[in-house]
Amino acid sequence: MKSIAKRARLWALAGAVAAGLAGTAVAQDMPKTSLKVVGAWGNLTQYKNFEQPFWTKELAEKSGGAITAEITPFNEMGLKGAEIFRLMRLGVIDFGSTVLGYVAADDARNEAVDLAGLSPDVATARKVSDAYKPIYDKFYGERFGIKVLGVWPYSAQVLFCNGEIKGLADLKGKKVRTGNRTLAEFVEAFGGTGVTLAFNEVVPALQNKVVDCAITGTLSGNSAKWHEVATHIYALPLGWSHVMHAVNLKRWNSLDPKVRDFLQKEITGLEDRIWKAAAEETEQGYLCNAGKPECTMGTKAKMTVVPVSEADKALLKKALTDVVLPKWAARCQGDCVPAWNDSVGKVVGLTATK
């Protein structure tokens, strides 16, 4: 047994040495490069568990110290999510992340992957995102001088309400904070009123009855303490609040080709990890908000998680096809609709028409 343990220690040591040598080899191949990054919401798990460690620790470790980076979430910089790509276009920001819904007013293409009701599960959401990502890269490259490096989701976007909700019919007459125009149109299809509020304004709005409900990720809402001012969650995924991570194209092209290859490979790996975590974080959001013992990622609250009827799932799809998709198509100009039909439309079996 001692011999086996000794061999195991030797193998572990050899592995560590090999990893160190690999990092050294990478470092020798790449020039020392320092990066500045603007991250998404700093108080949410996506930033804490993925973005921050990726930029501040993982890149340095994997590059043998050749690549180092500083990251600051946009909300800690006093910026609004809609400003990130505008500042990136001007060269003020190099690398940055923001929710695509925040820039929906700039161009309807930013809604294309996350129309209300489009993706009932994370697997569909990933297929939709992968199908449309090349279109985003072409559009942002040509119009804004921005290169798209990754697109990833938060946990499923659901309704948090400060009173009882049994189903979609209960949206009638309610004021609902929506993160983008397509969600507002969905709410209005059921007789509710969409209200525009910044994410960090939702807690006081729910508390003071300025809004009756608000939509966000199951775990995002928990991290932001929505459970302190809301009583019910309706467990129907309305969307995934996709985040796009991008870089100013001039800054990207100024980097050594080996650095670019390394970064793209690692960011693609980060993208994969966040997608894989989305389903788990969605379930954790339900467990934590309900105060279940299985909660490990958030704060155990005392909310009521309302199950979804098959009838409401059908109503959600009907609202997408009859209201959300036609209204989006009407405001998406140029080759927007044909491009969507040739990519996302083929994934979900829908055709958008103006």
Side-chain angles (χ1 to χ4, degrees), residues 177-193:
R177 178 268 181 181
T178 55
N180 56 52
R181 186 169 178 177
T182 178
L183 285 173
E185 290 168 347
F186 161 79
V187 168
E188 289 158 8
F190 290 94
T193 301

Side-chain angles (χ1 to χ4, degrees), residues 46-111:
Q46 186 174 110
Y47 180 84
K48 294 176 182 177
N49 297 343
F50 293 98
E51 279 194 282
Q52 186 178 43
F54 173 82
W55 291 102
T56 60
K57 295 179 182 179
E58 294 174 24
L59 287 184
E61 291 171 357
K62 292 182 179 181
S63 67
I67 309 298
T68 57
E70 298 176 10
I71 182 170
T72 306
F74 70 74
N75 56 304
E76 292 183 11
M77 299 175 69
L79 297 175
K80 296 179 180 179
E83 297 175 312
I84 304 306
F85 295 153
R86 297 169 194 167
L87 293 173
M88 190 178 293
R89 182 183 192 178
L90 296 172
V92 177
I93 291 175
D94 291 338
F95 292 78
S97 299
T98 197
V99 176
L100 281 166
Y102 294 170
V103 289
D106 293 350
D107 194 283
R109 287 170 180 80
N110 292 312
E111 303 169 271

Side-chain angles (χ1 to χ4, degrees), residues 46 50 113-114 117-131 151-158 217-218 235-243 270-284 286 316 347-348:
Q46 186 174 110
F50 293 98
V113 295
D114 203 28
L118 183 65
S119 301
D121 54 66
V122 73
T124 304
R126 179 72 196 263
K127 290 175 184 176
V128 164
S129 178
D130 287 348
V151 178
W152 47 71
Y154 279 109
S155 49
Q157 304 293 294
V158 298
T218 63
L236 178 66
L238 304 177
W240 296 89
S241 194
H242 292 62
V243 171
L270 173 67
E271 181 181 44
D272 288 340
R273 282 186 284 148
I274 294 177
W275 274 105
K276 288 176 182 176
E280 182 183 4
E281 291 192 349
T282 295
E283 184 61 23
Q284 276 290 308
Y286 293 135
L316 174 62
V347 171
V348 297

